Amino acid sequence: MLVLERRAGEPVDRPYWHHADMATDAELEWASTYNAYERVAGGPSTQLLLDVLRPGIDAYARTRRVPEWCGVDFLRAWAFYRQRELHHDGIGPVSEDFDYVLNAVRRHPAATPEDMPPHRSFLLPADWREELKETLDAPYWSHLMEFVDAERREHTVLPSEARVFRAFDLTPYEEVRVVILGQDPYPRPGDADGLAFSSEASGTPSSLKNIFKELQSDYGTRGTNSNTLTGWAEQGVLLLNTALTLRAGSRDDHDAHRKWRWQKQGWHTFTDAVISSVSNKRDPVVFMLWGEDARKKVDLIDAEKHLIIEEVHPSPLSARLGFFDSRPFRRANEFLGARDRGLVDWLRTSN
């Protein structure tokens, strides 16, 4: 999230800004449907509405929190005002408090199903939303999104919200021909970029160093000097973790999102659905399962149709126990080439 300091003299009701794409079209449309003028302002006046909302907006500017005293109508009117500010007044990008107001509506005890804003599953591309519709419509999904929302208010959660589903943005469902499945996003702030094992940091994470060592062993070179793996993603390699978010901090913190459950369901339920959906593809796919959590999903894959490469995690703690010399990249291309699926240029790690 891009946050800029408010300049001296800037109106207090525009405290901070962030990129407009942090508010989805679905969220802005939801905000626009509420009749704030009639229900809160008492008349068709934006100034009257702002006068009503100002105590909450000012409190947020001081504390960076939505006040607990805000009722559902107040919150919905606040969201309406922010989307109107963006769409009608041309002031933008949308204010940062928009996200927090939507989260406050989601957790408000008096909010009805009709009050609820859409969850960020809308950040998934349309093709993946269609493939994963059953799991996205399941009750656990909204609880999982609420858990992650709450975690972001209290902790540093990785990667940034806009990058949680980045793997799906870069690798359309129909183009998937390899899945590399890891465990969690990198725990050090600045490392995780939304693609399993990939990083935009200048320093190379230890697991990625070992992946590059194996790539060099397989092909005589590690490819480009970039730590990002977008080049793989754009060639149909789905870079997925079993849990898509992680709380920075201690080892227990790192485990919190992967182990979170609502009626025994959590991130693993979502990634189970992803693996099952890809396994159901007509064309053969290579599944690389790296690490204990990834290998638990082996039974979801049709082994008669697809190639499954199971190895230990490339972490320094385990890479020497089987990851090194496993030649996953060459084995993948041999399988794909024999089935006319095209070869992955593994040396093109960046775009």
Side-chain angles (χ1 to χ4, degrees), residues 211-225:
I211 291 171
F212 286 146
K213 286 180 182 178
E214 183 59 22
L215 182 62
Q216 186 161 12
S217 174
D218 231 358
Y219 285 98
T221 177
R222 61 153 277 183
T224 64
N225 291 323

Side-chain angles (χ1 to χ4, degrees), residues 112-145:
T112 67
E114 289 73 26
D115 289 316
M116 289 296 171
H119 273 290
R120 283 297 171 91
S121 60
F122 282 94
L123 288 178
L124 275 166
D127 60 336
W128 282 104
R129 289 205 307 270
E130 180 63 28
E131 291 297 327
L132 302 174
K133 187 177 187 305
E134 183 176 348
T135 199
L136 297 178
D137 288 343
Y140 89 92
W141 181 252
S142 61
H143 288 276
L144 174 58
M145 294 296 97

Side-chain angles (χ1 to χ4, degrees), residues 146-157:
E146 288 164 7
F147 164 74
V148 176
D149 286 343
E151 285 282 289
R152 288 194 187 278
R153 292 191 295 271
E154 301 295 332
H155 305 281
T156 298
V157 173

Side-chain angles (χ1 to χ4, degrees), residues 6 12 50 80 86 109 117 119 134 160 169 187 199 203 205 231 233 242 271 328:
R6 182 164 50 91
V12 72
L50 178 57
F80 170 87
L86 177 69
H119 273 290
E134 183 176 348
S160 64
D169 289 328
S199 178
T242 56
T271 47

Side-chain angles (χ1 to χ4, degrees), residues 25 58 133 137 160 164 184 218 222 231 235 238 241 266 275:
D25 290 341
D58 287 356
K133 187 177 187 305
D137 288 343
S160 64
V164 170
D184 303 304
D218 231 358
R222 61 153 277 183
Q235 295 181 74
L238 182 66
N241 282 310
I275 297 300

Side-chain angles (χ1 to χ4, degrees), residues 22-99:
M22 289 297 290
T24 67
D25 290 341
E27 289 170 340
L28 292 169
E29 182 179 359
W30 166 86
S32 72
T33 62
Y34 184 75
N35 191 346
Y37 293 129
E38 179 179 324
R39 300 187 64 172
V40 174
S45 166
T46 302
Q47 186 58 52
L48 284 175
L49 179 59
L50 178 57
D51 289 343
V52 173
L53 297 175
R54 186 169 293 281
I57 291 172
D58 287 356
Y60 178 86
R62 290 192 305 270
T63 66
R64 305 296 300 282
R65 291 179 179 274
V66 174
E68 294 292 333
W69 51 259
C70 294
V72 174
D73 282 324
F74 189 98
L75 293 168
R76 294 213 58 182
W78 190 343
F80 170 87
Y81 175 77
R82 287 309 190 198
Q83 70 77 31
R84 189 192 187 286
E85 188 177 47
L86 177 69
H87 281 162
H88 295 271
D89 298 339
I91 299 172
V94 68
S95 175
E96 182 189 277
D97 60 24
F98 185 81
D99 284 337

